[in-house]
């Protein structure tokens, strides 16, 4: 019992020694009454606890961020659902194997007949540069103090993260679905979107570049020029339809063209809203096949999808006018006609860096701001390995009513 009291007195004395020393030095006697710990671990400050809480919670949100952001683009969500999503452990570029010629050694033989072993050069590769996207989540010290309780802090983080999630989701969708043009010009080239802070930074290829309205354009996609190599040209038809019957005939014709040869048919149509609605209106009641399969509806974010033969047809509000050349996001040009992309998902790949798939970074304080900042980061590429199996119907009249 006596030993326990000696321990308590000793501990208290140790805690008060710094205060006693300061009292003698400064003359402020009341400092001797304040216990000051100078040995052992110093307890974390409130701000450190706050930062650790934010970082840990944000890290726990990563799986949900990947799902929500990827599903924000119907095309990417479709590719994932079809097994066309992959991870690559870094590297200078994304390499995509492709086939542009049949193997001439395919033959019929009997017994000891000679087999053809002629070397084939039909397989080569396309190369796609990495694209990087980021969005910041910033919380000022004032916001910290206004939301100092644990529950309030988590609610603030959730609101900030949701805002960031929606923003990078929209950016990714604009990169892939809208693309970029520098000026409105008939059947002009669609380019990769550029960074706002760094104009030299490029996003992933847009659909309008991968499935080009001018399929003989002299431009390299995947390091291969479609003007030089005819095998690297997608199908492209200009619409002249003025009736529902003519519209459906053009759709069927392009679908069949894309289905020629091995590799299947298009399984996803992506168009603007008017093109979707005109096809919907062209169908008789008994022909209106809205896809209700739960898995497909879930993949496409709950949106309505019409069935066109073997494909699901969805619309996106930022699909550009690729004929008269209008890009919606930057309001360049005026949309006067509609566009439908016919996509064979088996020919596309969606590759992400294995360590940068919508990851979250720790919260840190910038040198010149009283705030904490974390980022959501993505590094990936969208590529195609057989452009011939994809097509675009462009210049579709937006006034077809019967």
């Amino acid at each position: 019992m006596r030993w326990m009291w000696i321990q308590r007195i000793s501990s208290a004395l140790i805690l008060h020694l710094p205060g006693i020393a300061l009292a003698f030095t400064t003359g402020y006697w009341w400092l001797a009454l304040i216990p000051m710990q100078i040995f052992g671990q110093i307890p974390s400050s409130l701000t450190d606890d706050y930062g650790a809480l934010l970082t840990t919670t944000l890290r726990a949100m990563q799986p949900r961020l990947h799902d929500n952001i990827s599903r924000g683009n119907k095309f990417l969500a479709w590719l994932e659902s079809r097994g066309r999503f992959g991870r690559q452990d870094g590297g200078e570029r994304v390499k995509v194997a492709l086939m542009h010629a049949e193997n001439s050694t395919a033959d019929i033989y009997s017994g000891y007949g000679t087999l053809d072993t002629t070397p084939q050069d039909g397989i080569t590769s396309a190369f796609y540069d990495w694209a990087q996207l980021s969005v910041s989540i910033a919380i000022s010290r004032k916001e910290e103090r206004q939301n100092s309780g644990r529950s309030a802090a988590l609610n603030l983080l959730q609101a900030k993260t949701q805002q960031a999630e929606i923003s990078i989701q929209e950016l990714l969708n604009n990169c892939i679905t809208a693309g970029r043009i520098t000026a409105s010009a008939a059947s002009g080239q669609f380019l990769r979107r550029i960074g706002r802070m760094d104009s030299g930074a490029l996003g992933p290829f847009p659909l309008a570049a991968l499935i080009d309205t001018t399929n003989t354009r002299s431009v390299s996609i995947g390091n291969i020029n479609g003007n030089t190599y005819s095998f690297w040209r997608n199908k492209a038809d200009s619409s002249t339809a003025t009736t529902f019957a003519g519209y459906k005939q053009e759709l069927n014709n392009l679908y069949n063209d894309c289905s020629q040869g091995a590799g299947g048919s298009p399984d996803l149509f992506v168009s603007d809203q008017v093109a979707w609605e005109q096809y919907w209106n062209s169908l008789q009641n008994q022909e209106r096949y809205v896809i209700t399969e739960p898995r497909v509806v879930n993949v496409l974010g709950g949106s309505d999808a019409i069935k066109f033969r073997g494909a699901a047809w969805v619309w996106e509000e930022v699909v550009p006018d690729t004929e008269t050349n209008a890009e919606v996001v930057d309001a360049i040009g005026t949309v006067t006609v509609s566009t439908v992309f016919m996509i064979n998902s088996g020919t596309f790949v969606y590759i992400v860096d294995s360590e940068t798939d919508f990851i979250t970074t720790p919260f840190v304080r910038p040198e010149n701001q009283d705030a904490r900042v974390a980022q959501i980061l993505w590094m990936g590429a969208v590529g195609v390995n057989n452009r011939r199996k994809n097509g675009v119907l462009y210049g579709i009249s937006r006034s077809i009513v019967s």
Side-chain angles (χ1 to χ4, degrees), residues 29 59 66 77 94 103 116 139 150 160 186 188-189 213 236 251 259 262 267 294 296 303 319 341 346 349:
W29 62 267
R59 188 180 299 121
H66 167 85
V94 174
N103 189 322
D116 189 348
I139 297 177
R150 179 184 178 88
K160 293 272 189 176
Q189 181 184 356
T213 293
L251 290 167
S259 303
D267 55 1
V296 175
S303 62
V319 169
F341 294 106
V349 291

Side-chain angles (χ1 to χ4, degrees), residues 171-245:
L171 175 60
L172 183 59
N173 192 57
N174 291 344
C175 286
I176 293 172
T177 309
R180 174 178 67 95
I181 56 177
T182 55
S184 182
S187 300
Q189 181 184 356
F190 275 79
L191 308 166
R192 300 160 70 184
R193 294 192 68 80
I194 61 175
R196 184 173 52 82
M197 302 289 288
D198 178 6
S199 60
L202 299 174
F205 276 105
L207 285 174
L210 297 170
I211 310 175
D212 200 332
T213 293
T214 304
N215 57 4
T216 58
R217 194 186 309 276
S218 184
V219 60
S220 290
I221 299 293
N223 213 37
I224 303 172
N225 193 311
N227 181 262
T228 304
Y229 299 100
S230 60
F231 74 86
W232 199 235
R233 298 173 189 168
N234 57 263
K235 303 296 192 296
D237 288 345
S238 176
S239 174
T240 58
T242 57
T243 63
F244 287 152

Side-chain angles (χ1 to χ4, degrees), residues 279-320:
Y279 178 66
W280 169 266
N281 292 333
S282 75
L283 301 176
Q284 300 297 321
N285 288 332
Q286 65 269 26
E287 293 179 327
R288 287 185 176 172
Y289 298 118
V290 176
I291 298 175
T292 58
E293 182 184 345
R295 185 183 66 85
V296 175
V297 172
N298 183 49
V299 165
L300 296 176
S303 62
D304 288 335
I306 303 175
K307 187 174 180 62
F308 181 93
R309 295 173 65 174
W313 186 337
V314 295
W315 62 270
E316 287 272 10
E317 62 182 307
V318 295
V319 169

